[in-house]
Amino acid sequence: MHAFREAVEADDHDAIHALLAEDVVFTSPVAFKPYTGRAVTAAIIRGVSRVFTDFRYVREITGADRRDHALIFEARVGERRIHGCDFLHTDEDGRIDDFVVMVRPLSAATALAEAMGAEFDQIAREAREEEEQKAGAQG
């Protein structure tokens, strides 16, 4: 089982954060432009954990090189049942450097977009605070 799956299933956001590459690119199923960076990606994942209920991975597929992974999940967003897949690619150090999420059906994707829109201010604040802490530690 992939360490990311284990961390998500344990609701261990520190472990999730540690598994992300500093320059990870996160492609959302409901946003046009990808997000780049560990801070914003970790904040998005925390936001998703507040939006999804009854979340569970139902299948995992790993590529022959063990650097590509597809984690298929089911969850609920409000009253909508959602099916999706997290596509992960890991770098040479085993950290996730590319993270793409796809979901279906359209009605659930729309519900997800609305729910995540309501989380956006908190996500942006969490990401900004992490970046400020990082900059303060370096300076």
Side-chain angles (χ1 to χ4, degrees):
M1 181 181 315
H2 193 274
F4 180 80
R5 177 180 180 173
E6 291 175 355
V8 169
E9 290 177 342
D11 200 31
D12 185 344
H13 290 277
D14 290 335
I16 293 168
H17 188 279
L19 290 167
L20 299 172
E22 189 66 41
D23 61 349
V24 61
V25 176
F26 177 84
T27 305
S28 163
V30 296
F32 176 73
K33 184 178 173 185
Y35 297 90
T36 300
R38 179 186 292 158
V40 70
T41 300
I44 290 168
I45 293 168
R46 287 190 299 271
V48 169
S49 73
R50 293 187 293 266
V51 166
F52 279 168
T53 57
D54 301 328
F55 180 90
R56 66 188 180 105
Y57 284 114
V58 295
R59 195 163 159 211
E60 182 173 338
I61 303 165
T62 301
D65 66 357
R66 307 213 44 90
R67 291 181 62 188
D68 290 295
H69 308 271
L71 305 175
I72 300 152
F73 65 84
E74 296 176 353
R76 297 188 76 74
V77 178
E79 296 301 314
R80 299 279 184 213
R81 190 112 190 97
I82 193 166
H83 300 266
C85 189
D86 294 336
F87 295 98
L88 311 175
H89 180 270
T90 55
D91 63 16
E92 301 80 30
D93 297 323
R95 289 196 174 84
I96 299 165
D97 61 359
D98 190 43
F99 189 140
V100 177
V101 181
M102 294 190 180
V103 297
R104 65 160 305 279
L106 178 59
S107 60
T110 301
L112 177 61
E114 290 171 2
M116 289 302 290
E119 293 285 325
F120 184 78
D121 287 343
Q122 183 171 348
I123 289 168
R125 184 174 51 254
E126 289 175 8
R128 185 176 53 255
E129 289 170 359
E130 181 178 332
E131 288 295 332
E132 288 170 356
Q133 287 176 350
K134 179 182 162 190
Q138 291 176 350

